[in-house]
């Protein structure tokens, strides 16, 4: 039988539930982190593809690894964070060292000697004192001074799958010998490094040293530690504890840029020995998974394909935030932290997000400060979305999102094969002039502004030449104007008219798009990698040439076949791109240097372009240090290719950063990789914003409480009446008896 007591208990439960709801705060209840995370000095971001595969500085070459490697390791040099054009500045080195030059007999040469006379460049690089490695078990010693974890017995690796499982740690001062050891590792047969072939071409004795190490590795046996301290070579030496000497063949001014890459970051021999021990690889313990550096951060948590955490290196000396920037940086607040010691953030948490939709959802809720550290596409995508949707634009503005873009040191161009009889150089002076006018006509007809608007969502800069902004030697308009294709009016570059293109086409021997001699239509061929030749981009390209009554035939093929055709020089027109390894005009102009012809020499000159004057200037320019003389020659070279038109210069893509309003000092760039140490978080603003954007909606709960109470009360009335009748019946029964 139902009793009043039972319903009273139900009513009391409903009231308690109501009181519990009344006691709820308006704090967000959908946070993926533990309580209070938004108030900590921690930056939250994501990675979408996979865990970083190579964190060994000798092997790492992927963009998704750089947020880790450039935060943990310290090369000798770095790029000034804010300044443009990009400027090389010291990091662990005391200064950006100028080389001493010698001739083939070992005689010292003047600093301004012509580069062709230099047989040897010697870099003596002073290294800062007092720089310490992060705490790491490889340096740990016991009370007697012996290494705590060398050698390890097999059972001592039981249950050790993380570097944090080793409780004892140690450190020591960085020395020039650690850089020497790093260069030696690049040549080791036990390390796969994409930098070795280039550096071995320039550093004295490095290629021969690699063969010696191969023999030594075979001698000590597989699995045994190859102690590179025992095998030296003349090209890289430590003159003393804090002076590094590097010998480079000839004069190679671009060598300094390699010293800003983590390929040449220091590696302590203790770490190499520590990770070589038996069982380490089976426990996934190596420099690829647990790096050892002197940088502002160190890896403290690594759960593959789930979560990685960088924490402030307690041994980091601190590095002042820059006080100089590009025009506009001060107004943007980017110089407010001038002189303050970095890093500003205690921890950086990387979480796996396999899909972009939940990643962007959490970003808009405030749970990610930056969607991806290395993902320049998110800023671009959000800018495009804001342009397409007023609702999204209002949302992003309300959230105060910083959607910043920068033009990168990259170029995409449409190339003409210089070996082709129609669009190439031509055999006779008359044919050369006709082919040049044809290329100019086609270049005018290809409306790259429209291409950028349609296919790049306006997130690219139309190129006037081969050198992108931010690279020394780039010229702003009107000085850098491509006069073959544009005129400068009203402060802007304006594409020449189609009528002018038609006149050039007629002068080239193709009036109205037909061969003046035969009357046959002019049909050009564009070689494309992949697809069937009918996608939107190719259709757009066909329409550009139809405006001149010229037909474009697309020859689509798979990438391997396309590469083969490029290698043989059997294409006519093609699309190609280049991403700079370092911000020097040489890294773009060498793409047009005759001896680098892809078909003839297997080089990167995909157009097989050859101009004796350009090549002469290139050979002069490549030996020059940055400055007015080099810039003057660069401008002459650019003017030559603007006239010859071996390329339609295409566009420089933009990358963008998406940052919450509380992320300070954000400036998107793909050339500067150690950006994490400059960011700062306004944690109070983040906590307020997350609470505001994620307030729990309580009215459904209150409605449920009301329904519960409304449902309980009638039942309570019924039970009350029944129990009253029962009590009355019991009294009457007692009186009658």
């Amino acid at each position: 039988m139902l009793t009043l007591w039972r319903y009273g208990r139900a009513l009391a439960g409903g009231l308690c539930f109501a009181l519990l709801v009344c006691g709820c705060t308006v704090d967000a209840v959908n946070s993926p982190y533990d309580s209070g995370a938004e108030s900590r000095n921690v930056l939250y971001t994501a990675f979408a593809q996979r865990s970083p595969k190579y964190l060994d500085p000798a092997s790492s070459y992927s963009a998704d690894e750089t947020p880790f490697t450039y935060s943990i390791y310290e090369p000798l040099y770095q790029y000034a964070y804010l300044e443009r054009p990009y400027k090389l500045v010291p990091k662990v080195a005391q200064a950006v060292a100028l080389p001493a030059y010698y001739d083939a007999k070992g005689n010292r040469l003047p600093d301004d000697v012509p580069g062709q006379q230099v047989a040897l460049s010697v870099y003596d690089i002073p290294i800062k004192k007092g720089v310490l490695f992060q705490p790491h078990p490889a340096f740990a010693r016991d009370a007697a001074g012996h290494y705590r974890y060398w050698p390890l017995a097999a059972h001592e690796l039981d249950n050790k799958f993380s570097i944090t499982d080793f409780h004892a740690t140690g450190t020591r001062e960085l020395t020039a010998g650690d850089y020497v050891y790093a260069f030696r590792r690049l040549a080791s047969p036990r390390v796969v490094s994409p930098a070795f072939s280039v550096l071995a071409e320039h550093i004295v004795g490095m290629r021969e040293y690699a063969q010696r190490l191969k023999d030594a590795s075979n001698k000590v046996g597989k699995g045994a530690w190859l102690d590179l301290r025992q095998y030296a070579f003349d090209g890289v030496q430590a003159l003393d504890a804090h002076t590094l000497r590097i010998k480079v063949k000839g004069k190679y001014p671009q060598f300094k840029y390699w010293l800003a890459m983590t390929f040449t970051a220091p590696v302590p021999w203790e770490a190499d020995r520590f990770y070589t021990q038996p069982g380490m690889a089976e426990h996934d313990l190596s420099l690829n998974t647990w790096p050892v550096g002197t940088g502002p951060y160190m890896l403290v948590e690594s759960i593959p394909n789930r979560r990685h955490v960088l924490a402030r290196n307690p041994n980091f000396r601190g590095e002042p935030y820059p006080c100089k920037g590009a025009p506009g940086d001060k107004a943007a607040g980017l110089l407010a932290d001038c002189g303050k010691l970095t890093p500003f953030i205690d921890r950086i948490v990387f979480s796996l997000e396999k899909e972009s939709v939940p990643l962007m959802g959490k970003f808009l809720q405030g749970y990610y400060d930056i969607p991806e550290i290395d993902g320049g596409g998110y800023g671009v995508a959000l800018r495009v979305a804001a342009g397409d949707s007023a609702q999204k634009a209002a949302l992003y503005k309300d959230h105060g999102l910083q959607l910043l873009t920068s033009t990168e040191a990259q170029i995409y161009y449409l190339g003409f094969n210089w070996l082709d009889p129609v669009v190439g150089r031509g055999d006779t002076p008359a044919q050369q002039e006709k082919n040049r006018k044809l290329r100019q006509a086609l270049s005018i007809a290809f409306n790259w502004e429209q291409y950028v608007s349609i296919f790049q969502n306006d997130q690219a800069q139309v190129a006037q030449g081969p050198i992108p902004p931010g690279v020394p030697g780039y010229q702003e308009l009107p000085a850098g104007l491509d006069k073959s294709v544009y005129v400068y009016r009203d402060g802007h570059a304006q594409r020449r008219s189609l009528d002018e293109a038609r006149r050039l086409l007629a002068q080239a021997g193709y009036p109205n798009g037909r061969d003046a001699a035969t009357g046959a239509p002019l049909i050009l061929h564009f070689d494309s990698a992949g697809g069937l030749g009918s996608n939107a981009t190719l259709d757009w390209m066909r329409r550009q040439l139809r405006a001149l009554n010229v037909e474009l035939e697309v020859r689509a093929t798979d990438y391997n076949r396309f590469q083969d055709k490029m290698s043989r020089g059997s294409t006519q027109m093609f699309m190609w791109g280049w991403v700079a390894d370092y911000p020097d005009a040489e890294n773009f102009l060498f793409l047009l240097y005759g001896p680098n012809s892809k078909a003839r020499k297997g080089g990167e000159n995909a157009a097989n372009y050859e101009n004796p004057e350009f090549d002469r200037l290139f050979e002069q320019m490549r030996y020059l240090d940055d400055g007015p003389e080099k810039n003057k020659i660069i401008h002459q070279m650019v003017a030559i290719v603007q006239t010859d038109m071996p390329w339609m210069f295409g566009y420089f893509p933009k990358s963008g950063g998406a940052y919450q309003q509380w992320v300070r000092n954000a400036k998107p760039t793909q050339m500067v990789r150690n950006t994490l140490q400059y960011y700062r978080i306004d944690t109070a603003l983040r906590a307020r914003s997350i609470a505001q954007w994620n307030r729990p909606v309580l009215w459904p709960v209150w409605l449920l409480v009301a329904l519960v109470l409304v449902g309980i009360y009638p039942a309570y009335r019924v039970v009350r009446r029944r129990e009253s009748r029962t009590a009355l019946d019991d009294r009457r029964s007692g009186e009658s008896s």
Side-chain angles (χ1 to χ4, degrees), residues 30-43:
N30 61 336
S31 175
Y33 312 115
D34 58 348
S35 178
E38 66 278 3
S39 298
R40 299 181 190 130
N41 188 22
V42 177
L43 186 146

Side-chain angles (χ1 to χ4, degrees), residues 158-445:
D158 291 348
N159 301 317
K160 287 183 172 62
F161 296 92
S162 165
I163 210 66
T164 56
D165 293 332
F166 298 86
H167 301 299
T169 63
T171 187
R172 68 162 172 82
E173 185 181 17
L174 171 74
T175 70
D178 297 309
Y179 286 96
V180 172
Y181 200 88
F183 276 95
R184 293 177 183 179
R185 288 187 76 246
L186 295 176
S188 172
R190 301 184 179 189
V191 177
V192 177
S193 176
F196 169 73
S197 60
V198 176
L199 291 176
E201 180 182 346
H202 294 285
I203 296 177
V204 171
M206 194 170 187
R207 193 172 301 280
E208 296 78 8
Y209 178 67
Q211 183 58 51
R212 285 175 51 210
L213 288 186
K214 185 176 180 180
D215 297 339
S217 179
N218 293 333
K219 186 175 181 179
V220 301
K222 185 177 180 181
W225 179 45
L226 180 62
D227 186 357
L228 300 181
R229 294 176 300 168
Q230 308 302 318
Y231 305 91
F233 75 107
D234 189 49
V236 183
Q237 309 169 29
L239 298 185
D240 56 47
H242 295 96
T243 307
L244 176 69
R245 169 170 287 181
I246 304 176
K247 297 180 179 179
V248 173
K249 302 173 186 176
K251 184 176 181 181
Y252 178 40
Q254 293 75 31
F255 177 73
K256 61 182 180 289
Y257 296 113
W258 287 96
L259 303 183
M261 301 181 189
T262 52
F263 292 127
T264 59
V267 175
W269 65 268
E270 296 95 333
D272 190 32
R273 184 183 68 172
F274 174 80
Y275 285 125
T276 306
Q277 298 182 82
M280 286 283 183
E282 291 76 10
H283 285 239
D284 205 22
L285 296 169
S286 70
L287 280 171
N288 277 323
T289 52
W290 294 99
V292 186
T294 61
Y297 292 102
M298 59 185 189
L299 190 65
V300 296
E301 181 180 335
S302 181
I303 306 174
N305 299 318
R306 181 181 171 189
R307 172 184 162 104
H308 306 282
V309 179
L310 293 175
R312 186 191 294 266
N313 175 7
N315 295 338
F316 186 64
R317 63 204 173 277
E319 185 176 282
Y321 185 85
C323 294
K324 293 177 63 178
D329 283 350
K330 185 174 181 179
L334 290 172
L335 297 179
D337 287 322
C338 164
K340 297 178 182 177
L341 292 183
T342 62
F344 297 123
I345 297 171
D346 293 335
R347 296 169 77 87
I348 298 97
V349 175
F350 300 80
S351 301
L352 176 65
E353 290 286 354
K354 293 182 178 180
E355 303 293 337
S356 61
V357 172
L359 189 158
M360 291 309 302
K362 291 177 184 177
F363 176 64
L364 293 175
Q365 290 171 320
Y367 296 124
Y368 286 130
D369 304 307
I370 304 172
E372 283 187 341
I373 299 298
D374 65 306
Y378 283 100
V380 171
L382 287 171
R383 286 176 67 92
V384 171
D388 293 341
S389 168
Q391 183 179 6
K392 289 183 178 178
L395 174 64
Y396 302 161
K397 183 178 180 180
D398 178 67
H399 279 47
L401 296 185
Q402 304 176 74
L403 305 179
L404 310 175
T405 61
S406 66
T407 303
E408 291 302 335
Q410 306 175 22
I411 188 170
Y412 286 91
Y413 62 88
L414 194 151
F416 299 104
N417 183 6
W418 213 240
L419 305 178
D420 183 80
V422 178
V423 300
R425 179 177 183 270
D427 294 328
T428 66
Q431 189 62 48
Q432 290 169 11
E433 180 65 13
K434 285 186 175 183
N435 287 9
R436 181 177 64 82
K437 290 183 176 181
L438 172 60
R439 293 190 299 274
Q440 290 176 342
L442 299 177
S443 298
I444 293 171

Side-chain angles (χ1 to χ4, degrees), residues 2-81:
L2 293 174
T3 66
L4 180 62
W5 179 82
R6 291 174 62 190
Y7 272 97
R9 187 173 64 177
L11 180 59
L15 291 173
C16 288
F17 180 71
L19 291 172
L20 179 63
V21 171
C22 289
C24 287
T25 69
V26 293
D27 290 343
V29 295
N30 61 336
S31 175
Y33 312 115
D34 58 348
S35 178
E38 66 278 3
S39 298
R40 299 181 190 130
N41 188 22
V42 177
L43 186 146
Y44 298 96
T45 186
F47 62 99
Q49 297 298 322
R50 58 169 176 82
S51 291
K53 186 175 182 180
Y54 297 111
L55 296 183
D56 184 331
S59 303
S60 179
Y61 199 42
S62 178
D64 62 345
E65 295 158 359
T66 56
F68 298 91
T69 54
Y70 280 84
S71 297
I72 295 169
Y73 297 108
E74 290 191 290
L76 291 160
Y77 306 148
Q78 63 183 335
Y79 296 108
Y81 178 46

Side-chain angles (χ1 to χ4, degrees), residues 558-577:
D558 63 76
Y559 187 69
N560 290 337
R561 172 66 175 158
F562 175 73
Q563 287 276 51
D564 181 60
K565 293 173 72 174
M566 292 293 294
S567 297
R568 290 187 287 106
S570 60
T571 62
Q572 189 174 62
M573 298 166 62
F574 58 91
M575 193 83 167
W576 208 255

Side-chain angles (χ1 to χ4, degrees), residues 645-678:
M645 298 299 299
W647 295 353
M648 294 183 198
F649 295 112
Y651 62 93
F652 308 122
K654 291 183 178 180
S655 69
Y659 311 88
Q660 298 287 1
Q661 59 180 317
W662 52 79
V663 178
R664 307 297 190 224
N665 304 328
K667 185 170 184 176
T669 170
Q670 291 185 359
M671 188 61 66
V672 182
R673 297 291 190 177
N674 59 322
T675 58
L676 284 173
Q677 78 177 83
Y678 302 114

Side-chain angles (χ1 to χ4, degrees), residues 586-637:
E586 179 268 349
N587 202 231
F588 290 91
L589 296 175
F590 91 113
L591 300 172
L592 293 160
Y593 179 51
N596 284 340
S597 168
K598 183 173 285 291
R600 292 170 173 167
K601 301 291 184 178
E604 294 295 343
N605 180 354
N608 303 299
Y609 173 67
E610 188 173 7
N611 179 303
E613 178 63 9
F614 181 93
D615 292 347
R616 183 187 69 80
L617 290 171
F618 180 85
E619 289 164 3
Q620 184 179 351
M621 179 274 303
R622 72 190 307 178
Y623 293 118
L624 295 176
D625 297 311
D626 292 341
E629 183 183 1
K630 181 176 180 179
N631 287 342
K632 181 180 178 180
I633 293 177
I634 290 170
H635 300 160
Q636 291 175 335
M637 297 171 69

Side-chain angles (χ1 to χ4, degrees), residues 494-537:
Q494 297 183 13
R495 184 171 291 274
R496 294 182 182 273
S497 68
L498 284 174
D499 287 339
E500 197 163 348
R502 293 185 184 103
R503 285 195 296 272
L504 286 167
L505 190 66
Q507 293 171 15
Y510 303 99
N512 199 30
R514 290 185 173 270
D515 190 307
T518 66
L522 176 59
I523 301 175
L524 299 177
H525 304 283
F526 178 80
D527 286 275
S528 171
L532 298 176
S534 61
N535 63 42
T537 303

